[in-house]
Amino acid sequence: MTFSQTEGDFQHLTVPMEPAFTYISQYERDTGLFSSSLTGADLIKVGLDFSSCAAETEAGQVVMSQYNKLVQEVQSSQYQKMDAVERGEAILKLIYRDVLKKYVKLESSIDVMFQKGQYNCVSSTILYVALAKEAGFETVIYKTKDHCFCAVRIDDRLIEVETTNPYGFDPGTKKALPAKKNGRSSWAVIPQKSYQNKIIVSDRVLASLVGGNISTLAMKNNDYRLAVPLSIARYELTYKEETTGAQQVKEEFDIVATNYVSHLQRIGRSQAALEWMEKAINKWEVGSIWQDCIDVVVHNSVVQYLNQAHVQEAQEIYEAWEQRLSEKAREEVALNVFIGSMDAETTNLEPAEALAFLQTMEEHPVASTIKGAAKLKENREYVWQRQIKALVDQQKYLEAAAVARQGVLSLGTSATLSSLEKQCLNNHAIIVHNSYAALFNQKKYQEALEVVQQGLMEVPGNRTLQSDLKKVQQAMKQ
């Protein structure tokens, strides 16, 4: 995918920065005030909105009709005659009798729960809490990293309810099962679990978990047109709360939104990623998740443009985002732009012009950093190598060695150029030796002597030539 593609080519991927829906609770409608608590009906309606099945739709109306029948039962005189514990357990039995049929871990949709009986901990907890509220109970909702459940308050006692099991009322107590055909009784005991890091969350946070689960699944399929608006809706539903649960919703929104930005960048839509990210951080509070995203996306976008030799665009991105980058990322991106600028300018220049340009780069702020200075030296070293290679290709080894020596002096030190100088001198010495050997074998000792003496002037101390000198001198004495 190249940067020449137009924005229109990707319109189907554009995600609006708006919530999937905005919910106003009954309390807000009546008073204009915010409350974390919702009525039972509100819980179901918000859950339906997150399930993309608004209560106003035909399918949503069917669900609300089914729900209202359950409400009538839990508010009936038959239920009111029960003591509170019996009534709390009866609500759980009721939802398993009329609604819940099959546990499906990844199925959180409220409409699917009512239509097919498929449920998980989120949808079943929402249904139980909603009906418990309708029956007059005070409820408490618990959330862990990957589970949720609830409790009802009865006589100053909190009785937990594991809604994913029909015998989950007050876990740890023995429940009678239907009598077997032989008349024998049997019992079930649902173990009471001690969840680590569980937190109490509000009705709003509970309802938002439907959207959280659905957006997570959508995100795995890169369906950000579903995931992002749902996540924004979750945030807007809960952002007025100052609770740990609401903060977790915000962090989960940050994860979905930043994953969308990273997705855009990965598929080559760097400009769209940067534009969406800029709007997002101007609209919402930026935390550590966003900072990590800014650092990575800006860095990768700059690298993408540099790899395609779009140095100016890369420079503009860096300048636009410089103040928003972390210190570490700022240094790294600046270094990449610095290197890209050097590479782009020197690629098509003759060595002398390239070296002159690189000399001016010493005034660049990045050149004063350790990494910048090292990269500048590396580039200058490379240009010197280009000159040396051109001479080596012509077998002008002595000239190449001289250029290598000049490069070492220019750079101050260079193990690479010093090594090349030695190689070139050795190669020159080999040529001298071959010329000497041809004359020596023809017994043209005087000419051979002159060749080897000239060679030693050019490559002092060369052992091969020193040996050649001794050999020809001995031959001349005989």
Side-chain angles (χ1 to χ4, degrees):
M1 189 169 292
T2 67
F3 294 101
S4 63
Q5 288 174 293
T6 65
E7 198 71 14
D9 295 328
F10 301 99
Q11 285 181 352
H12 66 289
L13 293 173
T14 303
V15 172
M17 201 170 287
E18 299 297 333
F21 64 90
T22 298
Y23 192 81
I24 300 176
S25 70
Q26 186 63 50
Y27 180 79
E28 287 176 294
R29 287 193 291 272
D30 292 342
T31 67
L33 302 175
F34 175 84
S35 173
S36 294
S37 297
L38 298 174
T39 65
D42 278 335
L43 265 175
I44 300 300
K45 289 177 181 178
V46 179
L48 284 171
D49 281 336
F50 279 118
S51 306
S52 300
C53 179
E56 295 77 18
T57 65
E58 183 177 349
Q61 289 176 0
V62 171
V63 169
M64 293 309 301
S65 175
Q66 290 176 277
Y67 172 73
N68 289 331
K69 289 180 180 178
L70 297 174
V71 172
Q72 290 176 5
E73 182 157 349
V74 301
Q75 292 180 346
S76 66
S77 57
Q78 178 186 356
Y79 270 68
Q80 297 307 313
K81 291 177 182 178
M82 301 178 187
D83 66 42
V85 174
E86 288 179 323
R87 191 162 68 253
E89 187 169 9
I91 293 172
L92 184 63
K93 291 179 179 179
L94 170 65
I95 63 177
Y96 271 92
R97 185 195 74 188
D98 289 0
V99 182
L100 307 184
K101 305 302 178 185
K102 181 180 180 182
Y103 174 82
V104 179
K105 183 178 181 180
L106 300 180
E107 184 54 77
S108 303
S109 299
I110 300 301
D111 56 320
V112 173
M113 175 176 65
F114 275 93
Q115 292 167 3
K116 299 182 179 180
Q118 296 176 357
Y119 66 95
N120 65 4
C121 63
V122 172
S123 56
S124 61
T125 297
I126 287 174
L127 180 56
Y128 183 89
V129 169
L131 290 174
K133 284 174 174 284
E134 303 281 11
F137 284 108
E138 177 188 346
T139 58
V140 176
I141 305 154
Y142 298 101
K143 175 183 176 296
T144 70
K145 180 180 179 181
D146 52 11
H147 186 54
C148 72
F149 58 103
C150 63
V152 289
R153 189 178 298 280
I154 298 176
D155 298 330
D156 294 327
R157 176 191 169 203
L158 277 177
I159 299 179
E160 292 184 357
V161 185
E162 176 50 69
T163 60
T164 59
N165 191 294
Y167 304 102
F169 187 84
D170 198 6
T173 59
K174 188 166 65 171
K175 307 292 170 61
L177 298 177
K180 296 181 180 180
K181 292 182 179 181
N182 59 12
R184 293 182 180 180
S185 299
S186 58
W187 305 85
V189 177
I190 305 304
Q192 184 175 21
K193 296 183 180 179
S194 179
Y195 292 97
Q196 293 184 340
N197 302 319
K198 72 178 181 182
I199 60 171
I200 294 176
V201 298
S202 69
D203 298 337
R204 287 175 177 263
V205 172
L206 171 62
S208 82
L209 294 179
V210 176
N213 289 350
I214 294 173
S215 65
T216 296
L217 292 175
M219 185 169 58
K220 289 180 179 179
N221 294 321
N222 291 327
D223 184 2
Y224 289 99
R225 289 186 66 83
L226 175 61
V228 173
L230 280 177
S231 295
I232 298 174
R234 295 187 69 210
Y235 169 68
E236 292 196 353
L237 183 71
T238 61
Y239 80 98
K240 292 182 181 179
E241 285 188 24
E242 295 183 359
T243 64
T244 300
Q247 181 58 38
Q248 288 181 355
V249 171
K250 173 59 168 60
E251 290 173 356
E252 289 162 5
F253 157 67
D254 287 348
I255 291 171
V256 174
T258 54
N259 280 353
Y260 170 59
V261 172
S262 298
H263 173 70
L264 287 176
Q265 191 273 318
R266 282 195 304 272
I267 64 174
R269 291 194 67 199
S270 290
Q271 190 58 41
L274 293 168
E275 289 174 0
W276 204 94
M277 182 166 66
E278 182 175 24
K279 291 177 183 178
I281 63 178
N282 287 334
K283 184 172 183 177
W284 294 294
E285 179 184 352
V286 178
S288 60
I289 295 173
W290 274 107
Q291 186 60 61
D292 291 343
C293 179
I294 291 170
D295 289 347
V296 171
V297 170
V298 172
H299 173 271
N300 290 346
S301 297
V302 165
V303 170
Q304 280 187 352
Y305 279 109
L306 290 175
N307 287 342
Q308 297 209 2
H310 298 318
V311 178
Q312 183 61 36
E313 289 88 340
Q315 179 69 39
E316 290 173 358
I317 290 172
Y318 170 67
E319 291 174 354
W321 289 89
E322 180 180 2
Q323 298 306 314
R324 284 172 166 162
L325 293 170
S326 67
E327 183 177 354
K328 181 179 179 181
R330 189 182 306 121
E331 293 175 356
E332 189 171 353
V333 175
L335 178 63
N336 281 322
V337 174
F338 177 68
I339 295 169
S341 298
M342 288 192 295
D343 291 343
E345 289 291 336
T346 58
T347 298
N348 298 317
L349 293 177
E350 292 299 320
E353 295 174 320
L355 288 172
F357 168 76
L358 292 174
Q359 188 70 31
T360 67
M361 291 294 284
E362 290 186 351
E363 303 301 320
H364 196 287
V366 177
S368 63
T369 66
I370 294 175
K371 290 183 178 179
K375 287 295 181 180
L376 177 56
K377 181 178 179 179
E378 184 180 306
N379 272 46
R380 293 175 65 191
E381 201 171 51
Y382 175 70
V383 175
W384 283 107
Q385 289 179 65
R386 282 171 54 196
Q387 293 188 80
I388 294 165
K389 183 179 183 303
L391 293 168
V392 167
D393 289 344
Q394 302 173 58
Q395 295 191 339
K396 296 180 179 180
Y397 297 115
L398 200 58
E399 292 180 48
V403 171
R405 171 49 38 190
Q406 184 182 356
V408 172
L409 295 174
S410 173
L411 296 173
T413 59
S414 173
T416 299
L417 296 186
S418 293
S419 176
L420 286 175
E421 179 188 13
K422 291 178 182 179
Q423 291 176 32
C424 289
L425 290 174
N426 286 335
N427 288 343
H428 180 69
I430 290 171
I431 290 176
V432 172
H433 168 75
N434 290 340
S435 298
Y436 151 82
L439 293 169
F440 184 87
N441 291 336
Q442 297 173 33
K443 297 185 179 182
K444 296 179 181 180
Y445 298 129
Q446 182 59 40
E447 294 178 50
L449 176 64
E450 293 172 0
V451 168
V452 79
Q453 286 176 332
Q454 179 63 34
L456 283 168
M457 290 176 62
E458 296 164 342
V459 192
N462 183 269
R463 292 183 180 181
T464 298
L465 297 185
Q466 286 176 338
S467 176
D468 291 341
L469 177 61
K470 290 179 181 179
K471 186 174 180 180
V472 73
Q473 286 174 338
Q474 290 174 355
M476 291 176 71
K477 289 178 181 180
Q478 294 176 357

